[in-house]
Amino acid sequence: VGVPFADRRGIGVISDFPMMRWAGLAMATSGIGLIFWTSWALGRLYSPEVTLQKEHHLVTTGPYQLIRHPRYLGGMIEGIGLSLLFRSWIGLVLTLVFLVTILFRIRDEEALMKKEFGLEWENYSKKTWRLAPLIY
């Protein structure tokens, strides 16, 4: 709601480049798609809290085959995409704040997963990227 409003009124906007907007649309759509894919892969195991569900198991299928935290990656891609689509440097800054926040959450989640799944988690961690393939 905020970034389209700011875009229409020229508040905190980047110079307008049509290709930037198209790239932003593609990124936002891809990010949302990745988020939905993770919801499908996790099923009933998804929780907004850092917690384990009853009869929890380690999900290593779908987007989790390559990335341990694809939902967060999807959120970052969506945030960057919407910021580019609506020319918002404010949105880019907020996406950076989101990144810093999720890095702390990832630390907590991975400690919980290591405690719960032990060697299975360690083996999975060796075969996957934490957040972004070839980067982290």
Side-chain angles (χ1 to χ4, degrees):
V1 173
V3 288
F5 175 85
D7 182 27
R8 285 191 304 272
R9 285 160 182 76
I11 300 168
V13 295
I14 304 166
S15 297
D16 194 8
F17 299 104
M19 288 307 295
M20 177 181 68
R21 287 186 185 256
W22 283 109
L25 178 61
M27 289 180 73
T29 303
S30 298
I32 291 168
L34 184 54
I35 291 169
F36 279 111
W37 189 16
T38 63
S39 296
W40 176 77
L42 288 174
R44 67 170 185 77
L45 296 178
Y46 170 74
S47 171
E49 312 280 323
V50 178
T51 185
L52 295 173
Q53 306 295 326
K54 186 177 181 179
E55 300 177 22
H56 203 104
H57 64 276
L58 187 60
V59 176
T60 60
T61 58
Y64 293 91
Q65 287 179 310
L66 297 174
I67 307 167
R68 294 194 297 271
H69 303 280
R71 189 173 189 90
Y72 299 144
L73 177 60
M76 286 181 10
I77 293 169
E78 178 188 3
I80 293 167
L82 289 174
S83 297
L84 295 177
L85 178 61
F86 294 108
R87 306 181 303 142
S88 177
W89 64 264
I90 297 169
L92 290 172
V93 169
L94 292 175
T95 301
L96 181 61
V97 170
F98 173 71
L99 172 61
V100 171
T101 303
I102 64 169
L103 289 176
F104 285 105
R105 185 173 169 108
I106 285 172
R107 182 194 64 202
D108 294 344
E109 284 184 11
E110 291 199 350
L112 178 65
M113 299 300 262
K114 184 175 181 178
K115 180 180 175 188
E116 182 67 21
F117 297 109
L119 186 58
E120 182 183 10
W121 173 259
E122 288 180 31
N123 290 333
Y124 171 67
S125 296
K126 290 176 185 174
K127 296 185 294 188
T128 56
W129 293 93
R130 182 171 280 131
L131 188 61
L134 306 175
I135 299 172
Y136 181 66

